[in-house]
Amino acid sequence: MTYWALNAVFLLPALVVGGLAAAALKGGRRRTALAAAGAAAVVVLVLTAVFDSMMIAFGLFSYSEELISGVYIGFAPIEDFAYPVAAVLLLPALWILLGKRAGKRQP
């Protein structure tokens, strides 16, 4: 199994739940939530690039060359960025959706 196939297990549900959460918000709240998620994504992706590259450079872990695409950001293969993207999509989406179900006001 390639890393992209493994990533699909996490990314596809995160995209679906993220889409449901975006659809649940209206107007200004949707724009604010998307801007916040975008800003969080930038921060998390930069941190992932820096720290994963350092961990790979120091030999703490490695990837099987035949299972990755060969595209890198720093020393980290592009597949390594799927988990932070899934987290940025899924965590705020669950907050939005579960907050609505509990009857709580959304910020």
Side-chain angles (χ1 to χ4, degrees):
M1 172 183 282
T2 66
Y3 287 107
W4 278 120
L6 180 61
N7 290 343
V9 173
F10 298 96
L11 284 174
L12 293 176
L15 284 170
V16 169
V17 174
L20 291 172
L25 295 175
K26 294 184 173 52
R29 284 187 176 161
R30 181 180 300 157
R31 283 188 293 278
T32 302
L34 290 175
V42 168
V43 170
V44 170
L45 291 173
V46 167
L47 290 172
T48 299
V50 170
F51 289 106
D52 284 12
S53 289
M54 288 173 56
M55 289 187 287
I56 292 167
F58 292 130
L60 297 176
F61 63 91
S62 62
Y63 289 91
S64 177
E65 292 294 326
E66 59 270 0
L67 299 177
I68 60 173
S69 65
V71 177
Y72 294 88
I73 297 176
F75 291 115
I78 195 84
E79 292 89 346
D80 205 25
F81 293 84
Y83 305 107
V85 168
V88 166
L89 289 170
L90 191 58
L91 295 176
L94 289 174
W95 183 307
I96 290 165
L97 293 173
L98 294 176
K100 277 194 170 302
R101 291 182 78 193
K104 295 179 183 173
R105 244 184 93 200
Q106 295 299 312

